[in-house]
Amino acid sequence: QVQLVESGGGLVQAGGSLRLSCAASGRTFSNYAMGWFRQAPGKEREFVAAISWAGGSTYLTYLADSVKGRFTISRDNPKNTVYLQMNSLKPDDTAVYYCAGDFQFRTVVDGTGAYWGQGTQVTVSS
């Protein structure tokens, strides 16, 4: 089992920045692909960003078009933590943000990953 706990959400003005953290416990974190999703009120959950597991010399990252150039995903394996740096925030970014993890990068991206956190609220005021 893997437990995921998000933190770092809050209220920020448009144009501001936040960094979300997702702390993992349980099995070997470095073996898991990790990602972020979000769900706004009345909308379906949507993919935001994903990062591959720690194998190889570089990580594979993938971001939704809506956040490219503004958000960055990274991970710190010794700290068992994945981050989502969010810059130039817009009111449309307001949502509950969820951390997800699984062995396969594909399942993290398509939202069928095995492990999910409880979410952290991000609110961007105009």
Side-chain angles (χ1 to χ4, degrees), residues 8-36:
L11 174 64
V12 63
Q13 288 188 334
S17 298
L18 281 175
R19 188 177 78 159
L20 305 183
S21 300
C22 173
S25 61
R27 296 187 176 180
T28 306
F29 173 75
S30 60
N31 291 341
Y32 286 78
M34 301 296 295
W36 290 93

Side-chain angles (χ1 to χ4, degrees), residues 2-62:
V2 174
Q3 292 79 41
L4 304 176
V5 178
E6 304 94 337
S7 62
L11 174 64
V12 63
Q13 288 188 334
S17 298
L18 281 175
R19 188 177 78 159
L20 305 183
S21 300
C22 173
S25 61
R27 296 187 176 180
T28 306
F29 173 75
S30 60
N31 291 341
Y32 286 78
M34 301 296 295
W36 290 93
F37 284 74
R38 66 187 181 185
Q39 187 167 20
K43 295 186 178 181
E44 294 187 353
R45 185 178 65 191
E46 65 172 355
F47 169 79
V48 176
I51 187 166
S52 62
W53 70 295
S57 60
T58 59
Y59 296 110
L60 172 67
T61 61
Y62 178 57

Side-chain angles (χ1 to χ4, degrees), residues 10-16 88-94 122-126:
L11 174 64
V12 63
Q13 288 188 334
S88 301
L89 282 161
K90 306 174 182 179
D92 284 349
D93 296 317
T94 296
V122 171
T123 303
V124 184
S125 63
S126 57

Side-chain angles (χ1 to χ4, degrees), residues 43-85:
K43 295 186 178 181
E44 294 187 353
R45 185 178 65 191
E46 65 172 355
F47 169 79
V48 176
I51 187 166
S52 62
W53 70 295
S57 60
T58 59
Y59 296 110
L60 172 67
T61 61
Y62 178 57
L63 286 88
D65 288 344
S66 60
V67 304
K68 282 181 181 177
R70 300 188 299 123
F71 292 10
T72 303
I73 186 170
S74 62
R75 64 191 298 160
D76 186 335
N77 289 327
K79 294 184 178 179
N80 284 0
T81 302
V82 62
Y83 303 100
L84 184 69
Q85 177 66 45

